[in-house]
Amino acid sequence: MSHSRLHPLLGRPITITGLGTYVPEKVVTNDDLSASLETSDEWIRQRTGIGERRIAGPGVCASDLGILAAREALADAGLEPGAIDLVITPTISPDQLMPATAARVAHGAGCDNAGAFDLSAGCAGFVFGLAMAAGQVASGVRDNVLVVGAEAISRIIDWEDRSTAILFGDGAGAAVVSALPGGTVSSDGGAARLGILGFDLGGDGSGADSLSVPAGGSRMPASCETVQDRQHYLKMNGKEVYKFATRVVTKSAGAVLAKCGYAVEDIDLFVPHQANLRIIEGAVDKLGLPWEKVYTNLQKYGNTSSASIPLCLKEARAEGRLKDGDLVLLMGFGAGLSWGACLMRWGTGA
Ligand SMILES: CC(C)(COP(=O)(O)OP(=O)(O)OC[C@H]1O[C@@H](n2cnc3c(N)ncnc32)[C@H](O)[C@@H]1OP(=O)(O)O)[C@@H](O)C(=O)NCCC(=O)NCCS
C-alpha cells in the first residue's frame, strides 16, 4: 500500500505514551459462582469463554481502582501528575451520580489542576474517551490527557441473576495521550505515521433498554419500590446485545480502516472489548482476520467494560505481542447502544 495516506485525525501527531492497569486481588472462579447460582463452569466457558473474574473488596469503589491504574500510567509515560491537563473517566459503575468519578481519580493521582469529567458510553467508553483525548491533544488545546476506565461493576450486578452475574468483573485501565514529537517507524519499512490515526464512533439509542441500570437517575428515581424490584442493578437482553455486537464490530472496523486508508490484512493486532469470546470469534471470522492477530484476556477478567481494552494493551505489550510500529485496531461496543473503533500505529517514536 502507498504510504501517502490521508489521515482523518487532523492536527499534530499524537499517541498513547503510557499505560497503567489495576485489578483487585480477589479471584472469583466459575465454580465459586455455581456455589450460589444455578450455573456451571462448563456453561459459562462454552457460552462466554470466561473462566474467572476479579472482584473488589468491601468498601472499594471505581475511583479507588482508577487511581492505582492512573498512577501506573503516569509512571509509564514518565510524566509528573502536574503535567496532566485533563482526566477523562469512562465508567458504567461510577462512585456516585455526582460528582464525577474522574474528579476523585484526578485528585488521587495527584492531577489536581486538571479538568476532570466522566464519560458514559457503556463498554465503548474507553475508545470514546480516547477519541475525546485525541481531539484535545491533536488540536493543541491540551498537551497531556489521561483516560482512566474505572469499573467496580460488581456493585451494580444482581448476584441473583445468573444471566448477568457470570459476565462481569472489576478492574481499571489507564492511558496517557500526548503529542508525538514525530516518528517514522512502520512495520513494513515505510514512512507510515505513528500514533493515533483515526476513529469511527457510533450509536443507536433505540437499543437503550437492551443494556441498562433502570433506576437511580431522573428517569426512574430511587424509591422503596425500585429497590424492592431490583431496578438498581444492571439488566440486559443478552440475545439483542449479542446480535448488535457481532453486527457493529465488523461494520465499524471496516469504516475506520477505510477512513485511514488501510485494509484488514494490514492489521497487526486487534484488541476488541472483552465481552464474550463467542462475539469476538464471530466478528473476527466475518472480518477475515487470522486468530493470531487477536488479543483476548477475558478468560481471566470477564467483561471489565471500559477497563478491558487498556488491560489487553498492557498485557499484550508485556508479552511482546504489541510492538512499536504495529498497526493496532481497538474496538469497543456496549450500552447506549454505542460502538467505537480506533486505529493506531503503536509507538512513541522515542
Ligand atoms: C448472556 C449470554 C451468554 C446468554 O447466552 P444465550 O445463548 O443467549 O442464552 P439464553 O439467554 O438464550 O439462555 C439459554 C438458557 O440458558 C439459561 N442460562 C442463562 N444464563 C445461564 C447461566 N449463567 N448458567 C446456566 N444457564 C443459564 C437460560 O435461563 C436459558 O434457559 P432456558 O432455555 O431453560 O430458558 C449471551 O446472550 C451473550 O453473551 N450476550 C451478550 C452479552 C454481552 O456481552 N453483554 C455485554 C456487552 S458490552
Side-chain angles (χ1 to χ4, degrees), residues 42-121:
E42 192 196 355
W43 194 96
I44 300 172
R45 280 185 198 273
Q46 231 172 45
R47 305 277 178 129
T48 72
I50 298 166
E52 58 190 43
R53 71 285 296 141
R54 303 297 182 96
I55 300 294
V60 175
C61 57
S63 64
D64 295 326
L65 307 179
I67 288 166
L68 298 174
R71 287 183 188 153
E72 195 181 80
L74 287 169
D76 192 43
L79 281 183
E80 291 299 322
I84 296 293
D85 307 308
L86 181 66
V87 176
I88 303 172
T89 296
T91 180
I92 63 164
S93 50
D95 287 10
Q96 297 158 271
L97 272 183
M98 63 177 280
T101 301
R104 296 189 196 277
V105 171
H107 178 62
C111 312
D112 272 323
N113 292 319
F117 68 91
D118 286 3
L119 190 157
S120 179

Side-chain angles (χ1 to χ4, degrees), residues 112-182:
D112 272 323
N113 292 319
F117 68 91
D118 286 3
L119 190 157
S120 179
C123 300
F126 182 77
V127 174
F128 274 60
L130 216 50
M132 299 305 107
Q136 293 281 300
V137 180
S139 65
V141 175
R142 325 254 176 190
D143 286 326
N144 301 296
V145 178
L146 186 55
V147 181
V148 188
E151 301 287 9
I153 307 179
S154 58
R155 288 9 182 190
I156 58 163
I157 288 299
D158 184 347
W159 290 101
E160 294 180 9
D161 174 9
R162 66 179 180 175
S163 69
T164 52
I166 58 157
L167 296 174
F168 296 91
D170 298 335
V176 176
V177 176
S178 306
L180 183 86

Side-chain angles (χ1 to χ4, degrees), residues 86-324:
L86 181 66
V87 176
I88 303 172
T89 296
T91 180
I92 63 164
S93 50
D95 287 10
Q96 297 158 271
L97 272 183
M98 63 177 280
T101 301
R104 296 189 196 277
V105 171
H107 178 62
C111 312
D112 272 323
N113 292 319
F117 68 91
D118 286 3
L119 190 157
S120 179
C123 300
F126 182 77
V127 174
F128 274 60
L130 216 50
M132 299 305 107
Q136 293 281 300
V137 180
S139 65
V141 175
R142 325 254 176 190
D143 286 326
N144 301 296
V145 178
L146 186 55
V147 181
V148 188
E151 301 287 9
I153 307 179
S154 58
R155 288 9 182 190
I156 58 163
I157 288 299
D158 184 347
W159 290 101
E160 294 180 9
D161 174 9
R162 66 179 180 175
S163 69
T164 52
I166 58 157
L167 296 174
F168 296 91
D170 298 335
V176 176
V177 176
S178 306
L180 183 86
T184 55
V185 182
S186 82
S187 56
D188 51 8
R193 175 171 162 171
L194 267 187
I196 295 174
L197 303 175
F199 291 92
D200 175 66
L201 305 183
D204 177 7
S206 72
D209 292 330
S210 303
L211 185 49
S212 74
V213 176
S218 59
R219 193 175 180 85
M220 193 189 287
S223 67
C224 294
E225 287 74 31
T226 60
V227 173
Q228 271 160 12
D229 295 346
R230 310 182 82 77
Q231 296 296 317
H232 294 265
Y233 292 124
L234 183 150
K235 310 277 181 202
M236 183 180 69
N237 180 334
K239 279 206 185 340
E240 282 304 314
V241 174
Y242 193 101
K243 279 192 279 178
F244 146 78
T246 40
R247 193 174 65 243
V248 295
V249 171
T250 10
K251 192 177 127 205
S252 191
V256 77
L257 284 165
K259 273 185 203 175
C260 299
Y262 286 91
V264 169
E265 303 79 69
D266 297 322
I267 297 171
D268 295 303
L269 192 68
F270 177 43
V271 180
H273 165 53
Q274 306 286 297
N276 178 321
L277 198 58
R278 300 287 97 81
I279 293 176
I280 297 172
E281 284 170 347
V284 164
D285 205 40
K286 272 213 244 168
L287 270 174
L289 196 64
W291 189 249
E292 313 82 80
K293 294 189 171 184
V294 184
Y295 195 84
T296 64
N297 62 13
L298 58 78
Q299 298 83 352
K300 295 186 291 181
Y301 305 124
N303 179 347
T304 57
S305 192
S306 62
S308 70
I309 290 175
L311 272 169
C312 284
L313 287 175
K314 210 189 99 186
E315 290 196 353
R317 189 182 65 178
E319 291 165 14
R321 289 194 55 196
L322 173 60
K323 303 174 292 298
D324 281 3

